[in-house]
Amino acid sequence: MKKILFLIIDMQNGFVNEYTEGLDKKILDFQQTVRDRVLTAGTRYVNHEHTACYVFEGWKSCMEGTSEAEIIPSLSPVMARVFDKDKYSCWNDEMKTFIREQGIDKVYFAGVNTGCCVLHSVLDCYNDLVDCTVIEDLCGSTSGVKEQEEALNVLRSCITEGRVVSSEQAAEEIWIRTTKPS
């Protein structure tokens, strides 16, 4: 049977605003639909004095040890594991080892921020030749709808349009992948 990872990027208290509010509920509803067919994990951006966001932007939110840096309480229980990171991309040696050890052959991405952490993580995953898909209606941008659409367009261009899908399409793909014999 094919093994699928549903990877929720940076759904943290500090990334909830008028543009991302309610995204956690949509992600949770999707996860509940596919929970018996996927392994669910998450990432958490931990800011500190040596991150690019802190050094170059002076951004001091989601600092290590603050409530802003914590995963949204509704999503925390569904994540089998949370990977801390201090860069946009989660695609590091720890993640690659996890993917390999778990026998993952497909990754579905959701979360925030689509133009930063989701984009970088997906492109790194794709460049490493791991099959991946972005669930567009389960991603969001704290910068607004325009930035969200721009990021999705970049993803469609870079990883192909067929790898940027709706949650309905993703659920159907997951059902097919986990039902068909290998």
Side-chain angles (χ1 to χ4, degrees):
M1 186 153 129
K2 310 255 184 206
K3 198 145 186 198
I4 298 168
L5 176 64
F6 178 47
L7 189 56
I8 304 168
I9 304 293
D10 300 352
M11 286 300 298
Q12 298 164 232
N13 294 323
F15 293 125
V16 176
N17 70 9
E18 63 186 292
Y19 302 112
T20 60
E21 192 171 32
L23 187 57
D24 60 322
K25 181 174 177 358
K26 291 178 187 178
I27 290 171
L28 186 59
D29 288 348
F30 176 81
Q31 195 278 335
Q32 295 300 307
T33 300
V34 299
R35 71 176 175 257
D36 296 331
R37 297 178 178 274
V38 301
L39 175 62
T40 301
T43 67
R44 183 173 77 111
Y45 181 80
V46 181
N47 198 14
H48 53 76
E49 294 83 15
H50 303 289
T51 66
C53 291
Y54 188 95
V55 171
F56 297 125
E57 299 171 39
W59 190 65
K60 295 180 179 158
S61 294
C62 293
M63 295 298 285
E64 197 165 14
T66 66
S67 65
E68 289 179 328
E70 296 307 314
I71 300 294
I72 294 171
S74 62
L75 292 175
S76 189
V78 303
M79 296 179 186
R81 182 161 174 193
V82 175
F83 297 86
D84 284 347
K85 63 188 183 66
D86 63 0
K87 297 178 176 13
Y88 286 157
S89 180
C90 69
W91 207 254
N92 56 28
D93 290 338
E94 183 183 20
M95 181 64 73
K96 291 176 194 179
T97 299
F98 177 77
I99 296 283
R100 186 179 59 254
E101 288 177 352
Q102 294 297 317
I104 302 295
D105 66 353
K106 174 81 178 195
V107 181
Y108 284 86
F109 285 89
V112 297
N113 271 310
T114 311
C116 299
C117 296
V118 174
L119 178 98
H120 282 264
S121 298
V122 169
L123 292 178
D124 286 348
C125 176
Y126 181 83
N127 282 330
D128 236 7
L129 302 179
V130 176
D131 193 4
C132 58
T133 294
V134 176
I135 308 174
E136 62 185 346
D137 54 319
L138 300 185
C139 290
S141 174
T142 57
S143 300
V145 176
K146 180 179 178 233
E147 289 78 2
Q148 168 72 2
E149 275 308 311
E150 289 171 350
L152 289 171
N153 285 333
V154 168
L155 284 162
R156 287 181 190 104
S157 175
C158 291
I159 66 169
T160 74
E161 286 192 30
R163 292 179 184 279
V164 180
V165 302
S166 70
S167 54
E168 186 177 290
Q169 290 169 304
E172 184 177 332
E173 286 176 11
I174 290 168
W175 188 85
I176 291 167
R177 286 180 70 88
T178 58
T179 305
K180 288 187 348 188
S182 297

mmCIF file of all heavy atoms in Angstrom, residues 101-123:
data_model
loop_
_atom_site.group_PDB
_atom_site.id
_atom_site.type_symbol
_atom_site.label_atom_id
_atom_site.label_comp_id
_atom_site.label_asym_id
_atom_site.label_seq_id
_atom_site.Cartn_x
_atom_site.Cartn_y
_atom_site.Cartn_z
ATOM 1 N N GLU A 101 12.326 6.894 6.368
ATOM 2 C CA GLU A 101 12.035 5.884 7.388
ATOM 3 C C GLU A 101 10.560 5.481 7.417
ATOM 4 O O GLU A 101 10.229 4.346 7.723
ATOM 5 C CB GLU A 101 12.474 6.372 8.765
ATOM 6 C CG GLU A 101 13.975 6.389 8.932
ATOM 7 C CD GLU A 101 14.427 6.953 10.270
ATOM 8 O OE1 GLU A 101 13.583 7.487 11.044
ATOM 9 O OE2 GLU A 101 15.642 6.875 10.547
ATOM 10 N N GLN A 102 9.684 6.412 7.104
ATOM 11 C CA GLN A 102 8.248 6.121 7.100
ATOM 12 C C GLN A 102 7.780 5.491 5.785
ATOM 13 O O GLN A 102 6.638 5.070 5.676
ATOM 14 C CB GLN A 102 7.439 7.398 7.369
ATOM 15 C CG GLN A 102 7.627 7.967 8.749
ATOM 16 C CD GLN A 102 7.145 7.026 9.829
ATOM 17 O OE1 GLN A 102 6.085 6.420 9.719
ATOM 18 N NE2 GLN A 102 7.931 6.890 10.881
ATOM 19 N N GLY A 103 8.649 5.464 4.782
ATOM 20 C CA GLY A 103 8.282 4.903 3.491
ATOM 21 C C GLY A 103 7.280 5.754 2.733
ATOM 22 O O GLY A 103 6.477 5.249 1.943
ATOM 23 N N ILE A 104 7.328 7.059 2.944
ATOM 24 C CA ILE A 104 6.402 7.996 2.288
ATOM 25 C C ILE A 104 6.742 8.082 0.805
ATOM 26 O O ILE A 104 7.894 8.256 0.439
ATOM 27 C CB ILE A 104 6.505 9.401 2.923
ATOM 28 C CG1 ILE A 104 6.207 9.364 4.419
ATOM 29 C CG2 ILE A 104 5.626 10.404 2.181
ATOM 30 C CD1 ILE A 104 4.823 8.989 4.812
ATOM 31 N N ASP A 105 5.717 7.971 -0.053
ATOM 32 C CA ASP A 105 5.965 8.136 -1.487
ATOM 33 C C ASP A 105 5.153 9.282 -2.091
ATOM 34 O O ASP A 105 5.225 9.540 -3.285
ATOM 35 C CB ASP A 105 5.734 6.828 -2.246
ATOM 36 C CG ASP A 105 4.295 6.373 -2.249
ATOM 37 O OD1 ASP A 105 3.463 6.977 -1.555
ATOM 38 O OD2 ASP A 105 4.004 5.399 -2.949
ATOM 39 N N LYS A 106 4.409 10.006 -1.251
ATOM 40 C CA LYS A 106 3.633 11.159 -1.735
ATOM 41 C C LYS A 106 3.403 12.101 -0.558
ATOM 42 O O LYS A 106 3.089 11.655 0.547
ATOM 43 C CB LYS A 106 2.283 10.681 -2.302
ATOM 44 C CG LYS A 106 1.321 11.770 -2.717
ATOM 45 C CD LYS A 106 1.638 12.335 -4.083
ATOM 46 C CE LYS A 106 0.624 13.387 -4.495
ATOM 47 N NZ LYS A 106 0.676 13.694 -5.892
ATOM 48 N N VAL A 107 3.571 13.407 -0.803
ATOM 49 C CA VAL A 107 3.341 14.410 0.230
ATOM 50 C C VAL A 107 2.301 15.406 -0.266
ATOM 51 O O VAL A 107 2.421 15.933 -1.375
ATOM 52 C CB VAL A 107 4.644 15.167 0.593
ATOM 53 C CG1 VAL A 107 4.378 16.204 1.689
ATOM 54 C CG2 VAL A 107 5.747 14.201 1.013
ATOM 55 N N TYR A 108 1.282 15.640 0.549
ATOM 56 C CA TYR A 108 0.281 16.675 0.288
ATOM 57 C C TYR A 108 0.540 17.814 1.262
ATOM 58 O O TYR A 108 0.627 17.588 2.469
ATOM 59 C CB TYR A 108 -1.141 16.132 0.482
ATOM 60 C CG TYR A 108 -1.592 15.258 -0.649
ATOM 61 C CD1 TYR A 108 -1.302 13.901 -0.663
ATOM 62 C CD2 TYR A 108 -2.297 15.797 -1.720
ATOM 63 C CE1 TYR A 108 -1.711 13.092 -1.713
ATOM 64 C CE2 TYR A 108 -2.707 14.988 -2.772
ATOM 65 C CZ TYR A 108 -2.408 13.645 -2.757
ATOM 66 O OH TYR A 108 -2.811 12.853 -3.808
ATOM 67 N N PHE A 109 0.664 19.032 0.732
ATOM 68 C CA PHE A 109 0.981 20.208 1.533
ATOM 69 C C PHE A 109 -0.249 21.084 1.752
ATOM 70 O O PHE A 109 -1.030 21.317 0.838
ATOM 71 C CB PHE A 109 2.039 21.059 0.828
ATOM 72 C CG PHE A 109 3.419 20.500 0.877
ATOM 73 C CD1 PHE A 109 3.868 19.621 -0.103
ATOM 74 C CD2 PHE A 109 4.301 20.858 1.891
ATOM 75 C CE1 PHE A 109 5.156 19.112 -0.079
ATOM 76 C CE2 PHE A 109 5.594 20.359 1.929
ATOM 77 C CZ PHE A 109 6.019 19.483 0.938
ATOM 78 N N ALA A 110 -0.337 21.627 2.972
ATOM 79 C CA ALA A 110 -1.341 22.619 3.344
ATOM 80 C C ALA A 110 -0.669 23.583 4.314
ATOM 81 O O ALA A 110 0.417 23.297 4.821
ATOM 82 C CB ALA A 110 -2.539 21.944 4.003
ATOM 83 N N GLY A 111 -1.293 24.723 4.596
ATOM 84 C CA GLY A 111 -0.777 25.616 5.630
ATOM 85 C C GLY A 111 -0.483 27.019 5.160
ATOM 86 O O GLY A 111 -0.996 27.483 4.156
ATOM 87 N N VAL A 112 0.375 27.691 5.923
ATOM 88 C CA VAL A 112 0.750 29.088 5.677
ATOM 89 C C VAL A 112 2.267 29.225 5.719
ATOM 90 O O VAL A 112 2.940 28.363 6.264
ATOM 91 C CB VAL A 112 0.121 30.047 6.714
ATOM 92 C CG1 VAL A 112 -1.398 30.048 6.635
ATOM 93 C CG2 VAL A 112 0.566 29.753 8.129
ATOM 94 N N ASN A 113 2.774 30.214 5.261
ATOM 95 C CA ASN A 113 2.346 31.184 4.287
ATOM 96 C C ASN A 113 2.667 30.628 2.905
ATOM 97 O O ASN A 113 3.798 30.222 2.655
ATOM 98 C CB ASN A 113 3.070 32.517 4.503
ATOM 99 C CG ASN A 113 2.354 33.430 5.458
ATOM 100 O OD1 ASN A 113 1.168 33.668 5.314
ATOM 101 N ND2 ASN A 113 3.076 33.968 6.434
ATOM 102 N N THR A 114 1.715 30.655 2.009
ATOM 103 C CA THR A 114 1.867 29.996 0.711
ATOM 104 C C THR A 114 3.069 30.523 -0.069
ATOM 105 O O THR A 114 3.802 29.753 -0.671
ATOM 106 C CB THR A 114 0.578 30.133 -0.124
ATOM 107 O OG1 THR A 114 -0.530 29.763 0.682
ATOM 108 C CG2 THR A 114 0.639 29.253 -1.360
ATOM 109 N N GLY A 115 3.301 31.831 -0.039
ATOM 110 C CA GLY A 115 4.391 32.419 -0.796
ATOM 111 C C GLY A 115 5.752 32.303 -0.136
ATOM 112 O O GLY A 115 6.759 32.647 -0.743
ATOM 113 N N CYS A 116 5.799 31.831 1.081
ATOM 114 C CA CYS A 116 7.082 31.699 1.788
ATOM 115 C C CYS A 116 7.341 30.231 2.136
ATOM 116 O O CYS A 116 7.973 29.506 1.387
ATOM 117 C CB CYS A 116 7.077 32.528 3.078
ATOM 118 S SG CYS A 116 6.849 34.280 2.845
ATOM 119 N N CYS A 117 6.835 29.823 3.277
ATOM 120 C CA CYS A 117 7.170 28.501 3.820
ATOM 121 C C CYS A 117 6.581 27.352 3.015
ATOM 122 O O CYS A 117 7.247 26.340 2.807
ATOM 123 C CB CYS A 117 6.758 28.424 5.282
ATOM 124 S SG CYS A 117 7.689 29.610 6.290
ATOM 125 N N VAL A 118 5.357 27.474 2.554
ATOM 126 C CA VAL A 118 4.768 26.415 1.727
ATOM 127 C C VAL A 118 5.540 26.319 0.414
ATOM 128 O O VAL A 118 5.997 25.242 0.029
ATOM 129 C CB VAL A 118 3.258 26.641 1.482
ATOM 130 C CG1 VAL A 118 2.698 25.616 0.503
ATOM 131 C CG2 VAL A 118 2.480 26.604 2.796
ATOM 132 N N LEU A 119 5.712 27.445 -0.261
ATOM 133 C CA LEU A 119 6.396 27.476 -1.552
ATOM 134 C C LEU A 119 7.801 26.873 -1.460
ATOM 135 O O LEU A 119 8.160 25.995 -2.242
ATOM 136 C CB LEU A 119 6.473 28.912 -2.071
ATOM 137 C CG LEU A 119 7.209 29.065 -3.391
ATOM 138 C CD1 LEU A 119 6.216 29.132 -4.544
ATOM 139 C CD2 LEU A 119 8.050 30.320 -3.386
ATOM 140 N N HIS A 120 8.596 27.331 -0.524
ATOM 141 C CA HIS A 120 9.968 26.835 -0.399
ATOM 142 C C HIS A 120 10.008 25.346 -0.058
ATOM 143 O O HIS A 120 10.824 24.599 -0.618
ATOM 144 C CB HIS A 120 10.736 27.653 0.646
ATOM 145 C CG HIS A 120 11.184 28.977 0.137
ATOM 146 N ND1 HIS A 120 12.434 29.202 -0.365
ATOM 147 C CD2 HIS A 120 10.516 30.153 0.034
ATOM 148 C CE1 HIS A 120 12.532 30.456 -0.750
ATOM 149 N NE2 HIS A 120 11.383 31.055 -0.526
ATOM 150 N N SER A 121 9.140 24.915 0.835
ATOM 151 C CA SER A 121 9.099 23.497 1.214
ATOM 152 C C SER A 121 8.701 22.621 0.030
ATOM 153 O O SER A 121 9.317 21.581 -0.223
ATOM 154 C CB SER A 121 8.122 23.286 2.373
ATOM 155 O OG SER A 121 8.545 23.995 3.521
ATOM 156 N N VAL A 122 7.684 23.051 -0.697
ATOM 157 C CA VAL A 122 7.209 22.283 -1.859
ATOM 158 C C VAL A 122 8.291 22.217 -2.939
ATOM 159 O O VAL A 122 8.554 21.140 -3.487
ATOM 160 C CB VAL A 122 5.909 22.892 -2.432
ATOM 161 C CG1 VAL A 122 5.553 22.275 -3.781
ATOM 162 C CG2 VAL A 122 4.765 22.725 -1.445
ATOM 163 N N LEU A 123 8.900 23.343 -3.256
ATOM 164 C CA LEU A 123 9.928 23.345 -4.305
ATOM 165 C C LEU A 123 11.119 22.469 -3.923
ATOM 166 O O LEU A 123 11.649 21.745 -4.766
ATOM 167 C CB LEU A 123 10.374 24.769 -4.624
ATOM 168 C CG LEU A 123 9.330 25.657 -5.299
ATOM 169 C CD1 LEU A 123 9.886 27.059 -5.529
ATOM 170 C CD2 LEU A 123 8.809 25.052 -6.589
#
